[in-house]
Amino acid sequence: MRVGLHGQQGRMPRKLPLRPGDPRPHTRVLLLFKRYWNAFGASACLLAYALSYIFHWPKEYSLAAATGVLIGTLIELKLGLEHGRWAKGTTTYASMRQARRDIVDMLVAQLSGRYSDDIIIVGTRLRSIVDLLREVREILETQKVRVPQRIRLYGIEPAFAETMVLPGDRPPAEQQLLNVQDMAFTTAALTDILRPSSWPANVQVSVAYYREIPSSYFFLIGRNDIVFGGVFWNAEKASLNGPGAPCWHQSREAPNFQELSDWLHNRVALMDASARHQAGD
């Protein structure tokens, strides 16, 4: 396993093209509205109702809008409870893609918080992780990072990933070709994410590589949140799928949070102890 800090103060790399299926960039206003639409709606309804008294407008319209916001909020609560989103200390998601919004919120909260603590992300090829960190970095452009923070990434070593052939219906030669193409894109994206000048001055990002077929991924976000999920083998495509599989979030309120945290930190300590440290470019 190799570890290195990558990136230089210097020439800006070219902007990486979006691949099919990658989410398009959102503006800060759209992100805020998407996350807090019911709060904005309720505030607008209250304002309209108050103005109706001042200007003698019909109150039925503002009441109808307020009813719509209330019904929408109740539906959101019902769906959240059905998926376990508000169970004590534990949240269940159908996939990491479904959990993405909450993961981004947790990462931003830690990075912009008052306490310095590591964020540890153990992934596979880091393709989805890099895309998620782009969104976090975009949000941090409008927020202040008060204290030094560190993001530690762990992923499959590119040379190992390029030659990784799995059992399945896809021929080995085709697998290797796809692996090489995939890792070329991921390596370029990592170079951008690891560039110090692209983050606030207090944020340091590093990457470590391991050489094994992964079975899980996880986020250790400070001392308060853990998000973890399994990596499933797809025999038909002869590939591994992490982001599309179920995942879970545990906060400190979860009964077994400390045991899970100790186990995952122990696994990371083993990775670090067996690492060969190498300076970045």
Side-chain angles (χ1 to χ4, degrees), residues 62-127:
S62 57
L63 288 173
T67 303
V69 171
L70 177 61
I71 292 173
T73 303
L74 291 174
I75 291 173
E76 188 176 52
L77 286 170
K78 181 177 183 297
L79 292 174
L81 289 171
E82 287 177 351
H83 291 285
R85 290 191 59 182
W86 290 285
K88 184 178 179 181
T90 302
T91 306
T92 302
Y93 300 94
S95 67
M96 194 183 89
R97 297 184 184 96
Q98 186 191 64
R100 178 184 176 114
R101 186 181 76 175
D102 291 343
I103 295 173
V104 168
D105 287 343
M106 287 180 243
L107 293 172
V108 171
Q110 172 61 38
L111 291 170
S112 59
R114 297 183 178 182
Y115 302 101
S116 179
D117 212 339
D118 283 4
I119 292 173
I120 301 172
I121 305 175
V122 175
T124 55
R125 300 182 183 182
L126 299 179
R127 183 174 56 195

Side-chain angles (χ1 to χ4, degrees), residues 252-268:
R252 291 193 67 87
E253 290 75 25
N256 59 340
F257 175 85
Q258 193 58 53
E259 291 79 3
L260 179 61
S261 177
D262 290 345
W263 172 52
L264 295 177
H265 275 98
N266 181 264
R267 180 180 171 188
V268 173

Side-chain angles (χ1 to χ4, degrees), residues 125 127 157-185 211 237-240:
R125 300 182 183 182
R127 183 174 56 195
E157 186 179 61
F160 179 81
E162 288 176 358
T163 58
M164 186 172 65
V165 174
L166 301 172
D169 298 339
R170 181 172 287 164
E174 184 180 345
Q175 286 190 54
Q176 290 191 352
L177 177 61
L178 292 173
N179 289 343
V180 170
Q181 294 173 347
D182 184 62
M183 291 312 301
F185 182 91
R211 297 177 60 87
K237 296 182 179 180
S239 64
L240 300 174

